């Protein structure tokens, strides 16, 4: 409320800045908390991701109009070096010939859209006070997210299922529906709390703002501790160390607030100490090396796969396919913990992921962006450089052990905003008068049209997702709910699986083999791109329905070579063995009954 009043009466706020705060507030206070029942997973399967991209598209469109109005584009000093990241992804996406089309378009859209969002922030010409208030908006988001986590640990949020994900195991999963994502966000939130406390302007703020920072430190540290997340605890610890190293002199000027934050952080950790015990056990397993932590196997195998196509990789969206193929031989090693691991869509390390799919070409762009960011941090000076680095650290660390940006675009845009914070110093303006008037008008009109298209498309994906959930909640008995998802390019593959599987089971009950044959035709192509276990499982069932036991057993043995300890597959194998045994016994009995009269003939 106080922050809102300050914004309302701030004479430095012009129309561009007012528009920025409206859109930025929607981006971090409204869109991330949009929730509807969903299937979980990644990307647009999670409802808040679509909502975030709708707002982000309007920020990009608004920035394009500001460029047209001012006839200037504001760019960071190293904009071209940072552009190597999307350029590298774009190049490898066009060179590689084994791209997954859906994954290809989604991945490139996220990267290019992220870079445009990053550049768009510069067009609003924010001053230091505006950026600081933007950070308080993110702080407010952190408080809401922390409250979600606390509610989930205490009640599971069972009574709030219309507002937030229910946590059946009473874990702090937040709106992100995943513990480590909540933990890394809370780590960033905690570091941000200390960063704001180190700002000289804090002394001019009211006691209520200072008390809010203390509450933020308490709730963030509790979420991190209770989560049992290694990445959250490590990200918060190292981020705070970086911050204290760089801004110790500033903390000494506000000893009281720094001491209060420290006490609140420790108290939060004590309240969540049960989760810290889990963290210690996980650290012990990680120290144990390859035999103890499955990630070591993932990294080792992924590196071997990269060396097979080091220059341009295996193609965007190809990781699942090549990894599952190679793991068959790799996991024959004795004591290999990869044998009991699920299907992987990501190697749990962003750099290795791009090495496998995009090769050296794509990784050059990522490393170039990192190098120019390090240069900017160095040039920002001791206090600013360490401060910005501490804000970037928890999310950057998370990318090296998991896949945060594929599950949560909130983390992606938060990182982009901190990169904007880092690169705002030394920016420059370039006049656009050299462009023709037609070109100047076409750019903002194009981005507005693109934003309208993105908004419409993303709303449709939410409707499609809701249709799938409704279909599954009704025991797959009403296929009309899948009409919208079948028309969605993003959900079409999964919807096709659901419909073909339903038709196959209905056909089998009526002794109709045609639906099983339709499923086989689709599944044999699908597993070449996405070797999903359920697709393999139902392919086995389809071959059994049409009586092709040889092909059935080949598929079953193939999927068991990938997932040798999966209980559902082992159960299916046992059921089929019993079925074949009973069929053979029945056949022998029938043969004996037919042979008996012949033996009695004179």
């Amino acid at each position: 409320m106080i922050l809102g009043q300050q914004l309302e009466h701030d004479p430095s706020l012009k129309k561009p800045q007012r528009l920025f705060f409206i859109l930025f507030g929607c981006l971090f206070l409204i869109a991330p908390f949009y929730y509807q029942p969903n299937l979980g997973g990644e990307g647009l399967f999670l409802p808040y991701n679509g909502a975030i991209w709708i707002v982000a598209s309007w920020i990009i469109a608004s920035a394009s109009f500001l460029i047209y109005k001012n006839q200037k584009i504001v760019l960071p000093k190293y904009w071209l070096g940072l552009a190597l990241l999307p350029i590298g992804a774009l190049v490898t996406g066009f060179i590689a010939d084994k791209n997954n089309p859906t994954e290809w378009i989604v991945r490139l859209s996220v990267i290019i859209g992220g870079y445009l969002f990053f550049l768009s922030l510069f067009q609003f010409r924010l001053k230091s006070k505006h950026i600081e208030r933007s950070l308080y908006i993110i702080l407010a988001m952190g408080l809401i997210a922390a409250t979600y986590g606390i509610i989930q640990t205490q009640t599971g949020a069972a009574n709030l299922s219309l507002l937030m994900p229910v946590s059946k195991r009473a874990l702090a999963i937040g709106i992100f529906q995943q513990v480590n994502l909540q933990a890394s966000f809370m780590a960033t939130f905690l570091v941000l709390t200390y960063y704001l406390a180190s700002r000289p302007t804090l002394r001019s703020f009211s006691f209520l703002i200072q008390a809010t920072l203390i509450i933020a430190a308490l709730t963030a540290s509790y979420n991190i501790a209770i989560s049992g997340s290694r990445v959250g605890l490590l990200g918060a610890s190292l981020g705070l160390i970086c911050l204290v190293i760089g801004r110790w002199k500033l903390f000494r000027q506000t000893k009281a607030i720094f001491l209060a934050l420290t006490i609140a952080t420790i108290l939060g950790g004590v309240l969540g100490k049960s989760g810290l015990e889990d963290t210690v056990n996980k650290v012990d397993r990680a120290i144990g090396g390859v035999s103890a932590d499955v990630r070591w196997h993932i990294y080792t195998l992924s590196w071997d796969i990269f060396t097979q196509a080091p220059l341009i990789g295996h193609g965007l969206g190809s990781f699942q396919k090549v990894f599952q193929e190679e793991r068959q031989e790799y996991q024959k090693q004795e004591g290999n913990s990869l044998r009991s691991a699920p299907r992987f869509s990501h190697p749990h390390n962003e750099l290795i992921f791009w090495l496998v799919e995009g090769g050296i070409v794509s990784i050059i762009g990522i490393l170039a962006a990192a190098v120019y960011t390090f240069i900017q941090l160095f040039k920002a000076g001791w206090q600013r450089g360490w401060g910005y680095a501490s804000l970037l650290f928890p999310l950057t660390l998370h990318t090296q052990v998991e896949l945060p940006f594929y599950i949560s675009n909130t983390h992606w845009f938060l990182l982009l905003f901190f990169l904007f914070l880092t690169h705002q110093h030394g920016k420059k303006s370039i006049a656009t008068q050299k462009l023709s008037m037609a070109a100047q008008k076409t750019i903002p009109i194009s981005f507005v049209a693109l934003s309208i298209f993105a908004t419409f498309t993303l709303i449709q994906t939410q409707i499609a997702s809701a249709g799938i959930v409704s279909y599954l909640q009704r025991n797959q008995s009403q296929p009309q709910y899948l009409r919208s998802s079948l028309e969605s390019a993003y959900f079409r593959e999964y919807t096709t699986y659901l419909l073909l599987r339903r038709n196959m089971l209905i056909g089998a009950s009526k002794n109709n083999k045609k639906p099983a044959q339709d499923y086989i035709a689709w599944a044999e192509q699908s597993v070449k791109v996405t070797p999903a276990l359920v697709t393999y499982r139902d392919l086995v069932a389809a071959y059994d329905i049409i009586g092709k036991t040889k092909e059935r057993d080949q598929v079953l043995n193939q999927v068991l070579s990938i997932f040798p300890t999966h209980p559902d597959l082992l159960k299916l194998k046992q059921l089929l063995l019993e079925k074949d045994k009973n069929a053979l016994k029945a056949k022998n009995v029938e043969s004996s009954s037919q042979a008996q009269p012949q033996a009695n003939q004179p």
Side-chain angles (χ1 to χ4, degrees):
M1 179 66 71
I2 294 176
L3 180 61
Q5 292 175 349
Q6 289 177 340
L7 291 175
E8 185 178 352
H9 297 97
D10 189 345
S12 71
L13 284 175
K14 307 300 182 185
K15 287 184 178 179
Q17 289 84 43
R18 292 183 184 277
L19 176 61
F20 167 79
F21 279 110
I22 291 173
L23 293 173
F24 195 77
C26 291
L27 183 69
F28 283 109
L29 290 179
I30 298 176
F33 299 104
Y34 172 73
Y35 179 74
Q36 66 183 41
N38 60 88
L39 302 178
E42 304 174 14
L44 297 179
F45 278 89
L46 296 166
Y48 61 86
N49 283 330
I52 287 172
W53 272 106
I54 289 174
V55 180
S57 71
W58 283 106
I59 290 177
I60 295 171
S62 300
S64 69
F65 259 104
L66 291 176
I67 294 172
Y68 168 72
K69 179 182 177 182
N70 299 323
Q71 293 192 323
K72 289 182 180 180
I73 180 171
V74 182
L75 295 170
K77 184 176 181 179
Y78 302 114
W79 70 273
L80 189 55
L82 297 172
L84 291 176
L85 194 159
I87 290 173
L90 197 62
V91 168
T92 190
F94 279 100
I95 292 178
D97 59 355
K98 296 181 180 179
N99 296 310
N100 180 331
T102 303
E103 187 73 18
W104 180 84
I105 189 66
V106 170
R107 191 90 62 81
L108 291 182
S109 297
V110 169
I111 293 173
I112 295 173
Y115 184 70
L116 291 175
F117 171 81
F118 169 72
L119 294 183
S120 297
L121 295 174
F122 291 91
Q123 313 316 314
F124 293 94
R125 306 188 179 218
L126 303 177
K127 298 180 180 179
S128 178
K129 63 167 68 175
H130 302 144
I131 292 174
E132 183 177 48
R133 287 166 182 172
S134 301
L135 292 174
Y136 274 100
I137 289 177
I138 297 174
L139 182 80
M141 178 195 172
L143 284 168
I144 298 172
T147 303
Y148 275 33
I150 293 172
I151 292 173
Q152 288 163 342
T153 59
Q154 300 304 309
T155 67
N159 297 326
L160 298 171
S161 58
L162 296 178
L163 297 176
M164 67 179 72
V166 174
S167 179
K168 295 181 180 179
R169 296 171 56 196
L171 299 175
I173 59 175
I175 193 67
F176 312 113
Q177 302 181 201
Q178 207 260 11
V179 170
N180 286 336
L181 282 170
Q182 174 77 353
S184 68
F185 184 83
M186 287 295 105
T188 306
F189 174 43
L190 181 62
V191 174
L192 175 62
T193 300
Y194 278 79
Y195 176 82
L196 291 172
S198 71
R199 299 275 296 179
T201 53
L202 181 66
R203 284 173 288 182
S204 63
F205 287 173
S206 67
F207 172 76
L208 182 59
I209 295 290
Q210 297 176 8
T212 300
L213 292 177
I214 296 172
I215 295 172
L218 175 66
T219 55
S221 60
Y222 172 77
N223 271 267
I224 295 168
I226 199 69
S227 69
S229 170
R230 291 170 292 181
V231 68
L233 183 61
L234 186 61
S237 301
L238 296 180
L240 289 176
I241 290 173
C242 289
L243 188 64
V244 172
I245 288 174
R247 303 175 76 86
W248 177 245
K249 290 183 179 180
L250 296 174
F251 281 123
R252 289 179 63 184
Q253 297 173 12
T254 55
K255 294 179 182 178
I257 186 67
F258 179 70
L259 180 61
L261 287 176
T262 304
I263 294 173
T265 303
I266 295 173
L267 179 59
V270 171
L271 292 174
K273 64 179 181 179
S274 60
L276 289 176
E277 296 173 359
D278 293 336
T279 307
V280 172
N281 294 332
K282 292 176 182 178
V283 170
D284 289 341
R285 290 199 300 271
I287 294 174
V290 174
S291 63
D293 195 319
V294 71
R295 277 192 180 91
W296 293 106
H297 290 292
I298 302 171
Y299 298 158
T300 301
L301 181 54
S302 297
W303 181 261
D304 292 341
I305 296 171
F306 155 68
T307 59
Q308 298 172 11
L311 186 59
I312 61 172
H314 295 267
L316 298 186
S318 64
F319 178 82
Q320 294 191 61
K321 177 179 181 295
V322 294
F323 186 86
Q324 311 310 336
E325 290 174 350
E326 295 294 326
R327 73 184 281 181
Q328 297 181 47
E329 189 65 30
Y330 179 84
Q331 61 193 13
K332 290 179 181 178
Q333 302 171 14
E334 185 176 354
N336 193 320
S337 59
L338 195 60
R339 291 168 55 84
S340 58
R343 173 172 63 95
F344 292 101
S345 62
H346 189 285
H348 291 249
N349 181 289
E350 192 70 12
L351 292 178
I352 294 177
F353 188 42
W354 279 101
L355 281 172
V356 170
E357 294 199 348
I360 295 174
V361 172
S362 65
I363 210 69
I364 287 174
I366 297 175
L367 295 179
V371 168
Y372 282 111
T373 299
F374 275 119
I375 294 173
Q376 184 67 21
L377 288 171
F378 179 78
K379 289 187 174 181
W382 182 267
Q383 291 183 350
R384 283 178 175 171
W386 280 101
Y388 298 155
S390 66
L391 292 172
L392 290 167
F393 192 88
L395 296 180
T396 304
L397 174 66
H398 198 178
T399 65
Q400 300 310 295
V401 295
E402 271 195 344
L403 57 160
F405 300 147
Y406 301 85
I407 303 176
S408 169
N409 290 147
T410 302
H411 288 63
W412 174 231
F413 285 110
L414 188 59
L415 180 72
L416 290 170
F417 182 76
F418 289 148
L419 285 173
F420 159 72
L421 192 66
T422 302
H423 288 275
Q424 62 168 313
H425 304 286
K427 54 184 179 288
K428 55 185 178 181
S429 297
I430 299 177
T432 60
Q433 287 95 334
K434 293 182 179 180
L435 296 174
S436 66
M437 186 56 64
Q440 292 184 44
K441 291 181 178 180
T442 300
I443 292 173
I445 292 174
S446 298
F447 276 110
V448 169
L450 188 61
S451 179
I452 293 173
F453 173 77
T455 300
F456 176 78
T457 302
L458 291 169
I459 290 175
Q460 288 297 110
T461 62
Q462 303 292 355
I463 296 173
S465 177
I468 294 175
V469 172
S470 297
Y471 171 75
L472 294 175
Q473 286 177 340
R474 289 164 175 79
N475 297 321
Q476 307 183 45
S477 61
Q478 300 182 36
Q480 65 269 21
Y481 284 106
L482 297 178
R483 190 170 301 156
S484 58
S485 60
L486 195 60
E487 297 173 355
S488 169
Y490 192 86
F491 291 106
R492 186 176 297 126
E493 183 78 1
Y494 182 63
T495 306
T496 301
Y497 161 74
L498 291 175
L499 286 173
L500 289 176
R501 181 178 186 273
R502 178 180 187 274
N503 293 339
M504 178 182 70
L505 296 177
I506 293 175
S509 66
K510 298 179 179 179
N511 201 27
N512 180 5
K513 298 181 179 181
K514 178 63 169 59
Q517 293 170 342
D518 293 339
Y519 180 86
I520 291 170
W522 171 83
E524 286 180 338
Q525 298 303 315
S526 179
V527 295
K528 292 178 181 179
V529 179
T530 307
L533 187 147
V534 291
T535 307
Y536 272 118
R537 179 201 63 195
D538 293 328
L539 182 58
V540 172
Y543 275 123
D544 187 62
I545 290 171
I546 65 175
K548 291 189 176 182
T549 56
K550 181 180 179 181
E551 289 83 352
R552 179 200 70 186
D553 293 341
Q554 286 177 343
V555 173
L556 183 57
N557 291 332
Q558 181 183 357
V559 69
L560 278 171
S561 68
I562 303 174
F563 310 104
T565 64
H566 197 280
D568 289 345
L569 293 176
L570 294 175
K571 182 179 179 181
L572 177 61
K573 183 178 182 180
Q574 185 62 35
L575 288 173
L576 292 176
L577 287 174
E578 292 179 1
K579 178 184 176 182
D580 291 345
K581 183 179 178 180
N582 293 334
L584 180 61
K585 185 184 295 185
K587 184 176 180 180
N588 291 335
V589 170
E590 183 180 356
S591 299
S592 299
S593 63
Q594 291 176 352
Q596 188 67 32
Q598 296 175 359
N600 294 332
Q601 288 179 1

